[in-house]
Amino acid sequence: EGLRRELTTALHKAAVNKEIVRCPGLSVKTNGHFSLVNLAVFPVTEGSVARFEPPLYLVTLEAAPAADVAPADHPVENNERDGSSRSDAHVAELKLELRAKEEYLKASREELETSNEELKSSNEEMQSVNEELQSTNEELETSKEELQSVNEELSTVNVELQTKVADLSRANNDMNNLLAGTGIGTIFVDHHLRILRFTPAITRIINLIPGDVGRPVGHILSNLVGYDLLVTDVRAVLDTLVPKEVAVQTKEGKSYTLRIQLYRTLDNVIEGAVITFVDTTEMKRTEAALRDSQTHFRQLAAALPQLVWTCLPDGRYDYLSPQYVEFTGVPEAQQLGFRWLDQVHPEDRGALLSAWNKAVGIGEPFKVEFRLHHHGGAYHPFETHASAMRDVAGHIVKWFGLTTAITSRRPKGSATKGPEPAQPGLNGGAE
């Protein structure tokens, strides 16, 4: 009692004015009686308080000496004073109390106004924060929808990627099986001639194991005989961009065709080279057998007394025996194709060509007579038999013909005396 109002007023003044407020001679109830004290409120300086802590105030109470109390401000009971003095003192005390209450009310009103303004400011801030929260909520809703859309797109992309991975795996398996099934030895190398991958068939030619991937191809021992230019040829292909083909042979006696080509991507970017070994052993044997067969055929044709010839399925001559060339006196190269007709009597050419075309068209054997020019100048009668040679599928691959001289007739324009032999007839029918 006696301190609450003054302390509140003093704290308010100290907080508003930032200065020391003193209230001397306060009558404060302590232990059943009143004591005179001096109240002081000191604002604590900013340097003594942490930066982010609220402001502090030091409140001190000290006993007030009797000399500091004015008689008018603190009336005391005195039997010597008269009644008017007591009345004046009481009035003065009431005025003092009224003034203190007014100051208290003023301070309370100012605090209320300050609190009201702070509340109003806080309300505005809360409204602003609420609006920001609403805006943030809307943005979050929009972001949520976008994330859902992105999630759906990612799910679609994931499904597409899984499909592409499956297709890629299937294509890789197909390619591996294709390369392994062809039986063609293949090596893929990069620009530095490092091995990228190879097919199983290559291991019969070059000693490769899966651990050799990444090693230079020149470091691997091969089974080739008489060929040690693989690295040089691959570098030449990469430098000149011109593919190279070489016939090679292994220690086992097998023949291969070595091809070195550029490795190009779908964007036509060169990323290395492809080395392939195609087994040509059977083809070489077949070619050798074919050459032997042709040699035997030519020897047989040269031994026959008839004029032997062969032609292609369309009727163009591609071989004339030495007897044929010797009889006409015209080199073989000048009679190939359809130029053999130049040695036939002009009167027989049309019928002979018609019969020949008919036989070629139906693919049946035929026999025909005609007169053939001798290198001596006369035309001699001949009879030609031709048959088609077919492959296993029944297709005509060549025609084989024998032209035999008709000795019972004399050639037109010969020096032999006697009656002129009858002109040979032309039979274009098939035999």
Side-chain angles (χ1 to χ4, degrees):
E1 185 178 352
L3 181 62
R4 179 180 303 165
R5 184 174 59 250
E6 285 76 6
L7 179 58
T8 302
T9 304
L11 284 173
H12 178 72
K13 289 182 178 181
V16 173
N17 299 325
K18 307 297 182 182
E19 60 182 11
I20 300 175
V21 179
R22 300 178 185 275
C23 299
L26 297 181
S27 179
V28 179
K29 186 176 182 180
T30 58
N31 298 325
H33 63 277
F34 287 88
S35 300
L36 296 178
V37 297
N38 293 330
L39 172 66
V41 179
F42 300 87
V44 179
T45 58
E46 296 181 357
S48 304
V49 184
R51 180 177 179 183
F52 299 103
E53 292 184 359
L56 300 180
Y57 300 91
L58 178 63
V59 180
T60 62
L61 297 172
E62 59 181 353
D68 294 340
V69 182
D73 295 336
H74 300 282
V76 296
E77 295 292 337
N78 191 349
N79 294 328
E80 297 178 355
R81 296 180 179 178
D82 55 8
S84 60
S85 298
R86 287 195 298 268
S87 298
D88 294 339
H90 184 66
V91 171
E93 183 179 357
L94 291 176
K95 289 182 179 180
L96 180 60
E97 184 178 356
L98 181 61
R99 188 166 53 251
K101 289 184 178 181
E102 289 178 353
E103 292 179 358
Y104 176 74
L105 290 175
K106 181 179 179 182
S108 299
R109 186 172 59 253
E110 291 177 354
E111 290 180 358
L112 181 61
E113 291 177 354
T114 303
S115 299
N116 191 20
E117 292 177 357
E118 291 177 355
L119 289 175
K120 183 178 180 181
S121 177
S122 299
N123 187 26
E124 293 176 354
E125 290 179 358
M126 292 296 294
Q127 289 180 352
S128 177
V129 170
N130 189 23
E131 294 176 355
E132 291 178 358
L133 289 176
Q134 289 179 351
S135 176
T136 303
N137 189 23
E138 294 176 356
E139 293 178 357
L140 289 176
E141 290 291 337
T142 304
S143 299
K144 181 180 178 181
E145 295 175 356
E146 293 178 353
L147 287 176
Q148 290 178 348
S149 176
V150 171
N151 190 24
E152 294 175 357
E153 293 178 358
L154 288 176
S155 299
T156 304
V157 172
N158 189 27
V159 173
E160 294 177 353
L161 287 177
Q162 289 179 349
T163 303
K164 290 183 178 179
V165 168
D167 294 340
L168 181 60
S169 178
R170 188 180 303 109
N172 191 30
N173 293 331
D174 293 343
M175 186 187 71
N176 288 334
N177 285 276
L178 175 63
L179 292 176
T182 57
I184 299 177
T186 306
I187 305 177
F188 299 90
V189 298
D190 59 11
H191 287 286
H192 301 287
L193 306 189
R194 291 190 296 259
I195 298 174
L196 300 177
R197 63 187 306 171
F198 58 88
T199 61
I202 197 65
T203 56
R204 297 191 295 267
I205 306 170
I206 299 178
N207 300 324
L208 288 174
I209 60 176
D212 291 328
V213 174
R215 294 181 59 189
V217 69
H219 293 180
I220 310 300
L221 181 64
S222 68
N223 296 322
L224 300 178
V225 177
Y227 179 76
D228 55 357
L229 300 176
L230 180 60
V231 175
T232 303
D233 290 343
V234 173
R235 291 190 184 277
V237 170
L238 291 175
D239 293 339
T240 62
L241 306 183
V242 178
K244 189 176 183 63
E245 184 173 313
V246 182
V248 296
Q249 190 174 5
T250 64
K251 296 177 182 179
E252 299 176 354
K254 291 188 176 182
S255 300
Y256 291 89
T257 298
L258 168 62
R259 294 189 180 95
I260 305 174
Q261 297 177 324
L262 297 173
Y263 182 95
R264 298 177 183 270
T265 64
L266 295 177
D267 298 328
N268 200 27
V269 178
I270 298 174
E271 293 188 351
V274 181
I275 307 170
T276 58
F277 290 84
V278 181
D279 191 350
T280 58
T281 304
E282 293 299 327
M283 185 178 66
K284 294 288 185 182
R285 294 174 181 173
T286 303
E287 290 177 352
L290 181 59
R291 286 194 300 268
D292 293 342
S293 177
Q294 291 177 347
T295 301
H296 295 160
F297 169 75
R298 290 178 181 272
Q299 291 175 352
L300 177 62
L304 293 175
Q306 292 90 349
L307 308 183
V308 181
W309 53 270
T310 61
C311 67
L312 301 175
D314 58 0
R316 292 181 290 112
Y317 276 37
D318 63 346
Y319 170 74
L320 297 175
S321 67
Q323 298 92 320
Y324 203 117
V325 176
E326 181 181 358
F327 181 84
T328 60
V330 179
E332 180 185 11
Q334 297 181 15
Q335 298 188 72
L336 297 180
F338 290 100
R339 288 181 291 179
W340 58 273
L341 282 171
D342 295 341
Q343 310 306 319
V344 178
H345 195 283
E347 296 178 358
D348 300 340
R349 291 176 186 171
L352 175 60
L353 185 60
S354 176
W356 174 237
N357 290 336
K358 181 179 179 181
V360 170
I362 62 178
E364 295 292 337
F366 81 106
K367 180 177 65 174
V368 66
E369 294 182 2
F370 64 94
R371 289 166 290 180
L372 188 63
H373 186 265
H374 187 263
H375 65 84
Y379 284 92
H380 293 252
F382 283 87
E383 183 180 56
T384 288
H385 296 260
S387 298
M389 294 185 292
R390 303 176 184 271
D391 57 14
V392 293
H395 301 124
I396 297 176
V397 296
K398 196 177 284 293
W399 285 86
F400 176 79
L402 288 175
T403 300
T404 306
I406 302 177
T407 58
S408 61
R409 301 174 186 171
R410 287 189 295 111
K412 185 176 181 179
S414 65
T416 304
K417 295 186 179 183
E420 184 74 12
Q423 297 296 331
L426 291 177
N427 181 13
E431 187 178 49

